[in-house]
Amino acid sequence: MALSAQQILRWFNSIELGSFINATQPSRHFQRPGRTLLHGSSAKPLISSDNGVLQWGFKTFRTSSLWNSFQHTNTSRQENNSAQSTQLPSVNEQSHKTQRTPNFDSELCLEELEDLPPLSPLQPISEKEAIQIIADPLLPPVSFTLRDYVDHSETLQKLVLLGVDLSKIEKHSDAANHLLRLDFEKDFKKILLFLKDLGIEDNQLGAFLTKNYAIFSEDLENLKIRVAYLQSKKFSKTDIAQMVRKAPFLLSFSVERLDNRLGFFQKELELNVKKTRDLVICLPRLLTESLEPVKENMKVYHLELGFKHNEIQHMITRIAKMLTANKRKLTETFDYVHNVMQIPHHIIVRFPQVFNTKFFKIKERRLFLTYLGRA
């Protein structure tokens, strides 16, 4: 069938336009810009119509212009890459560090973990976790012994290490409650150092504190003032340490009371300063205990036993315990020695130790001498 001239011309034009479009299309491994920039429009098959040439011409123009822009973009990227390769290493390192910056939205830093609130005690846990929980034993609100609090009190633990007998302190409920409220570093340490400087040895602190546990309530300055007063009365440091060991409550008395006690013995016994000081050093509890037994014994020696004032002075300066001895014991001993053994007053004054000896020993000794015929 013979083609007309118009059909031949249309066929020729379609072949020429098709080859031109294939030449201008990018290779398969590049992304087609027409798909992106033309919002999904692509080349359609040839339309066999009269205005097909116009449609293909329009699409060819659009596609070729987009391809040119794509080539221009690739060229500019290559130039940028070459320019970046010629930059200093510090710039590349900074960009590399920026890329490696951790994402804080996905990972919590350590500071944020520390600031997290503790778990609520009402939060439910598994049975296995509940079994593993070890709860500390509760302290008893009321107790008759300090043993229940030793494991939880640093103060009581250190007192035990010093040798303090808590079983004697706990008998006084007020004292036990007071010790539990004190702090070792704040309230105890300064007093212990003061006692050490005074001359109390480590092995003597336990017995001292067991008797005078109230010394921790004393002001340190007041304790120093009382020691200074004794030193002003010519008591040496060794004498003061000996007095404090024998009479733990000595430093708990005010300066006024100590001065009154020293004045009493010096006046009532008519002793000079040196003999008064020696008497107090020998029996320091004369400054801390009641004066009633002393006054009563002075009357017994003078009115009931018949000793003279100078004889009483001589005996008490040698045996200071005669001032605090039991009245019944004194009269019983004197009656046996003076009335049964027939020993006169002047011999008893020369040997006042008889009043400091147990009565059954005196009687036993006398019976033994009687058995030997030397009584």
Side-chain angles (χ1 to χ4, degrees):
M1 178 178 179
L3 297 176
S4 61
Q6 185 177 3
Q7 290 177 346
I8 293 173
L9 179 61
R10 185 179 301 171
W11 177 78
F12 177 80
N13 290 335
S14 63
I15 292 176
E16 185 177 2
L17 288 175
S19 60
F20 179 76
I21 290 173
N22 292 332
T24 56
Q25 287 181 351
S27 61
R28 292 182 180 178
H29 64 273
F30 289 104
Q31 183 181 0
R32 295 185 180 181
R35 293 182 180 271
T36 302
L37 297 179
L38 292 179
H39 302 285
S41 60
S42 58
K44 296 180 181 181
L46 296 176
I47 303 176
S48 58
S49 60
D50 296 337
N51 56 356
V53 177
L54 295 178
Q55 290 179 2
W56 274 109
F58 175 74
K59 291 185 178 183
T60 301
F61 174 76
R62 290 288 300 273
T63 305
S64 61
S65 62
L66 291 174
W67 172 246
N68 292 333
S69 64
F70 176 76
Q71 287 182 343
H72 177 71
T73 302
N74 290 337
T75 304
S76 61
R77 287 180 179 177
Q78 293 176 358
E79 292 176 357
N80 291 335
N81 292 334
S82 61
Q84 289 179 359
S85 62
T86 58
Q87 290 179 352
L88 295 176
S90 60
V91 178
N92 294 331
E93 291 177 357
Q94 292 179 358
S95 62
H96 182 66
K97 290 180 180 180
T98 303
Q99 294 176 358
R100 295 181 61 183
T101 303
N103 186 6
F104 290 98
D105 294 336
S106 59
E107 298 180 0
L108 292 175
C109 61
L110 295 178
E111 295 180 357
E112 292 177 350
L113 291 176
E114 293 177 357
D115 296 337
L116 290 176
L119 295 177
S120 173
L122 301 179
Q123 183 177 359
I125 58 176
S126 62
E127 184 178 355
K128 183 181 295 184
E129 293 175 345
I131 295 175
Q132 296 176 354
I133 295 177
I134 302 176
D136 295 331
L138 296 177
L139 291 177
V142 179
S143 178
F144 294 98
T145 176
L146 290 174
R147 182 180 57 186
D148 298 332
Y149 304 96
V150 172
D151 294 337
H152 307 276
S153 174
E154 180 185 3
T155 299
L156 295 181
Q157 292 174 7
K158 292 187 177 181
L159 288 179
V160 171
L161 293 177
L162 289 174
V164 179
D165 189 354
L166 297 181
S167 63
K168 295 183 178 180
I169 298 178
E170 67 188 14
K171 296 178 181 178
H172 309 277
S173 58
D174 295 338
N177 292 331
H178 181 68
L179 287 180
L180 288 174
R181 294 186 180 95
L182 296 180
D183 180 74
F184 187 86
E185 294 293 333
K186 182 180 178 182
D187 303 312
F188 281 51
K189 192 174 182 179
K190 57 183 181 181
I191 301 297
L192 293 176
L193 293 176
F194 168 76
L195 295 176
K196 288 280 292 181
D197 294 339
L198 193 62
I200 308 298
E201 302 295 334
D202 293 341
N203 57 353
Q204 298 170 344
L205 285 174
F208 177 86
L209 297 177
T210 301
K211 295 181 179 179
N212 189 12
Y213 47 82
I215 195 173
F216 296 112
S217 302
E218 297 286 344
D219 185 68
L220 183 60
E221 294 300 324
N222 292 335
L223 296 177
K224 293 180 179 180
I225 291 174
R226 293 160 191 170
V227 172
Y229 167 77
L230 294 176
Q231 291 176 346
S232 68
K233 296 299 181 180
K234 307 302 180 181
F235 290 95
S236 65
K237 185 176 180 180
T238 305
D239 295 336
I240 296 174
Q242 179 181 345
M243 293 167 62
V244 171
R245 285 194 297 267
K246 291 183 177 181
F249 294 98
L250 179 64
L251 296 180
S252 298
F253 292 98
S254 63
V255 173
E256 291 77 8
R257 179 166 180 170
L258 295 177
D259 188 69
N260 292 335
R261 289 298 181 91
L262 290 175
F264 170 81
F265 291 108
Q266 186 176 0
K267 181 180 178 180
E268 294 294 328
L269 301 178
E270 297 181 2
L271 301 175
N272 58 27
V273 176
K274 183 179 183 305
K275 288 186 177 180
T276 303
R277 184 166 51 247
D278 294 340
L279 177 67
V280 172
I281 293 174
C282 183
L283 192 64
R285 57 191 178 92
L286 291 173
L287 300 177
T288 60
E289 295 182 355
S290 175
L291 293 177
E292 294 301 323
V294 176
K295 295 178 181 180
E296 187 174 1
N297 286 346
M298 290 294 292
K299 294 179 181 179
V300 169
Y301 293 133
H302 181 65
L303 299 177
E304 296 185 17
L305 305 184
F307 289 99
K308 299 178 182 179
H309 188 71
N310 60 342
E311 293 176 339
I312 297 174
Q313 286 180 338
H314 178 76
M315 289 190 296
I316 63 175
T317 53
R318 295 187 62 183
I319 307 297
K321 288 184 179 180
M322 290 180 60
L323 290 173
T324 58
N326 182 267
K327 177 183 175 180
R328 180 175 175 272
K329 179 180 180 298
L330 290 176
T331 56
E332 185 181 27
T333 301
F334 177 80
D335 181 67
Y336 188 84
V337 172
H338 181 67
N339 297 324
V340 177
M341 298 176 64
Q342 299 297 318
I343 297 177
H345 282 76
H346 68 276
I347 296 180
I348 297 176
V349 172
R350 290 180 59 186
F351 300 96
Q353 296 87 349
V354 69
F355 290 104
N356 198 31
T357 308
K358 294 181 180 180
F359 176 74
F360 80 90
K361 286 188 176 182
I362 298 175
K363 188 176 181 179
E364 185 181 50
R365 178 67 175 175
R366 191 250 177 186
L367 294 175
F368 177 71
L369 293 175
T370 302
Y371 174 78
L372 296 178
R374 302 178 61 182

